[in-house]
Amino acid sequence: MRHLLSTTDLDTAAAVHVLDTASQMAATQGRQIKKLPTLRGRTVVNLFFEDSTRTRISFETAAKRLSADVINFAAKGSSVSKGESLKDTALTLEAMGADAIVIRHQASGAPHTLAHAGWTEAAVLNAGDGTHQHPTQALLDAFTIRRHLKGTAANRDGVGSDLSGLHIAVVGDVLHSRVARSNVDLLHTLGARVTVVAPPTLLPVGIEPWPCAVSYHLDEVLADRPDAVMMLRVQRERMSTSGGGFFPGPLEYTRLYGLDARRLAMLPEHAIVMHPGPMNRGLEISADAADSPRSVIVEQVANGVAVRMAALYLLLAGDGDATGQARTPAELLVPTTQEATR
Amino acid sequence: MSSGTGVPGGGGGSTVVLGEQDVARALTRVAHEILERNKGGADVVVLGIPTRGVPLAQRLAERLAAVEPGVVAEQIVGALDVTMYRDDLAQHPTRAIGRTVEPPAGIDGRVVVLVDDVLFSGRTIRAALDAINDLGRPKAVQLAVLVDRGHRELPIRADYVGKNLPTSTAERVRVLLAESDGSDAVLIEGGE
């Protein structure tokens, strides 16, 4: 794997491999010494054109736990805000010897451009682009789901398994959500059945080909007893008519699509509640739901570090591929035997 | 020993140097040497290096438990993955990461016996020593290998060797174990 731009880049085996690697990374994070020497001497640049403290910290932690050098580049206050182009920024980072660029950009497709325009040799990790994709978020969600719903006493993380047989509801602002897009693709790849639930105004035009069912009614979907409910954040600025008039008001949204105590009680015993954060308590999720024992929201954050460690490892560790050829996600799966150099 | 026999599926020019009985005898001898050197098995834990060191460590632990009263195999066996500590990660395609399993009592203050199938350049063992550092602080670290084929690139030597096997660098040593390959054998391949 050369870049991680979209969850559609991963086939089932590759996705399971990333999750299994994340499980091994997570195992090292329970130790007293959490740092591994794996990426010593490599440089990871966090290139954030859009503020996102959590995602940046998560990537920064992951890179540092693997002993990589981390450079944080925030566009705000830099020359980018004075008109420097993505290309010039990329050329600068290339000249400084970046091995991986973690990019968050408000424009859908910016990471793809960075990866394929020939400006840089670095591996590109998409940390969220516009309303398009946020692959590591989807991977950490899948990791969390697998851990809770496929894990056993002997195999706590469910290593080796996909998500077949599970039903997952994704609820909220699907229209603006890269998390929803990435998750629908990845969960489908992993064999889960996905239903997206949203008011008609918050569903994108052209959702029909998505590999998921679509519903306007949360109660009906919950009555179908999903194994996991993933709540999406509703941005407050999108609630008023000036913000686009996607729905009449917060109260109505909460009544129709909010996860409250009553809806929480409708869920089956084993079901988990997820949220990519930051939450609007009282809007899309009530405090009861957010703090309930079945909420795995805080755990998602911890799993995020392990998943990002896995992504950085898989992209960077074998970078010096002698052939210099870009490897496909399928090739990422061929574990090299360790017999050659003992 | 069925020396000189071609093995089906092993490709041309493969020679069996250790058969099932030889592997069993070598492990039994190594187990006794471990007990002798450490004056019993009270402090000993065995850590196998994936992939084939792990079943070997398991077998060694069972032998130690069979000989030494008070030693329980499950209590002293573990696995140590060294992938993330290797110095050649950038030179090869990405390696799959294996599992690290600490023995229930941990490794602090114990005598850790590292177990691997083949000792070659010594780089895996160097990585293993780093990996152990991050797990805890053992009283001592010893090394047991089924085959020592020479060609060391680092000043590392095994404390317990099943079989010294002088090879040329062009040759390839393959260890087959019942747990992963259906039967026990050590083969030498190629070399022409």
Side-chain angles (χ1 to χ4, degrees), chain B residues 59-88:
Chain B
R59 292 189 202 178
L60 267 181
E62 280 157 14
R63 279 170 168 79
L64 293 175
V67 179
E68 191 74 3
V71 172
V72 181
E74 295 77 44
Q75 298 292 317
I76 62 162
V77 70
L80 182 72
D81 181 63
V82 305
T83 313
M84 288 181 273
Y85 295 85
R86 297 192 70 98
D87 57 8
D88 58 353

Side-chain angles (χ1 to χ4, degrees), chain A:
Chain A
M1 190 161 68
R2 180 91 176 79
H3 308 288
L4 181 57
L5 302 174
S6 161
T7 48
T8 52
D9 294 345
L10 299 168
D11 57 23
T12 310
V16 169
H17 182 53
V18 176
L19 298 185
D20 289 350
T21 306
S23 163
Q24 307 302 349
M25 293 295 182
T28 67
Q29 297 307 297
R31 298 186 194 157
Q32 201 172 1
I33 298 171
K34 298 183 176 65
K35 199 158 172 157
L36 299 160
T38 315
L39 297 182
R40 206 153 50 87
R42 300 307 196 89
T43 303
V44 175
V45 178
N46 285 325
L47 179 58
F48 276 57
F49 289 88
E50 203 178 58
D51 292 334
S52 173
T53 310
R54 310 170 159 246
T55 306
R56 204 211 68 219
I57 290 177
S58 182
F59 270 108
E60 186 172 348
T61 308
K64 284 182 170 168
R65 295 269 164 90
L66 291 171
S67 301
D69 297 323
V70 182
I71 297 170
N72 287 313
F73 184 108
K76 225 180 224 174
S78 76
S79 302
V80 171
S81 61
K82 298 171 195 165
E84 190 182 73
S85 67
L86 178 60
K87 178 178 178 177
D88 289 324
T89 308
L91 293 175
T92 306
L93 297 177
E94 175 69 8
M96 288 177 181
D99 294 299
I101 299 176
V102 176
I103 177 172
R104 158 69 65 100
H105 203 286
Q106 60 277 10
S108 305
H112 188 269
T113 306
L114 183 64
H116 294 108
W119 302 327
T120 174
E121 289 292 303
V124 176
L125 260 110
N126 184 357
D129 58 334
T131 58
H132 177 224
Q133 281 277 337
H134 193 354
T136 53
Q137 176 72 42
L139 284 162
L140 78 87
D141 289 337
F143 183 85
T144 311
I145 293 170
R146 189 174 79 160
R147 190 160 180 271
H148 281 271
L149 301 174
K150 291 279 178 166
T152 57
N155 179 3
R156 277 185 65 226
D157 290 342
V159 170
S161 55
D162 57 15
L163 301 179
S164 53
L166 298 179
H167 179 206
I168 292 144
V170 179
V171 186
D173 184 358
V174 178
L175 176 64
H176 299 99
S177 177
R178 51 196 169 213
V179 175
R181 270 173 190 75
S182 314
N183 262 303
V184 168
D185 290 335
L186 183 67
L187 294 172
H188 172 74
T189 301
L190 286 168
R193 183 161 67 90
V194 186
T195 306
V196 300
V197 188
T201 48
L202 285 175
L203 286 169
V205 173
I207 195 171
E208 295 77 21
W210 287 25
C212 62
V214 177
S215 170
Y216 304 142
H217 306 288
L218 183 55
D219 285 331
E220 281 176 18
V221 173
L222 293 185
D224 194 22
R225 301 175 69 75
D227 301 292
V229 181
M230 193 181 293
M231 304 306 296
L232 300 172
R233 174 172 147 83
V234 177
Q235 310 245 4
R236 284 187 180 274
E237 61 269 22
R238 298 201 176 112
M239 290 183 304
S240 62
T241 36
S242 60
F246 293 105
F247 52 88
L251 198 65
E252 183 179 309
Y253 184 87
T254 306
R255 225 175 41 231
L256 291 175
Y257 296 99
L259 188 66
D260 53 18
R262 177 183 67 84
R263 290 194 170 113
L264 194 65
M266 292 171 71
L267 288 172
E269 197 76 350
H270 65 274
I272 55 171
V273 172
M274 310 176 75
H275 193 295
M279 292 181 276
N280 294 309
R281 282 174 185 248
L283 182 56
E284 73 264 7
I285 190 164
S286 73
D288 297 331
D291 300 329
S292 82
R294 54 180 59 177
S295 155
V296 296
I297 297 166
V298 177
E299 193 196 311
Q300 284 175 269
V301 178
N303 292 342
V305 175
V307 162
R308 284 163 184 137
M309 285 173 77
L312 285 169
Y313 169 75
L314 292 172
L315 290 176
L316 281 182
D319 208 21
D321 194 2
T323 59
Q325 303 246 313
R327 272 169 286 131
T328 62
E331 282 171 296
L332 165 158
L333 297 177
V334 188
T336 331
T337 57
Q338 306 194 355
E339 273 142 50
T341 47
R342 220 172 273 272

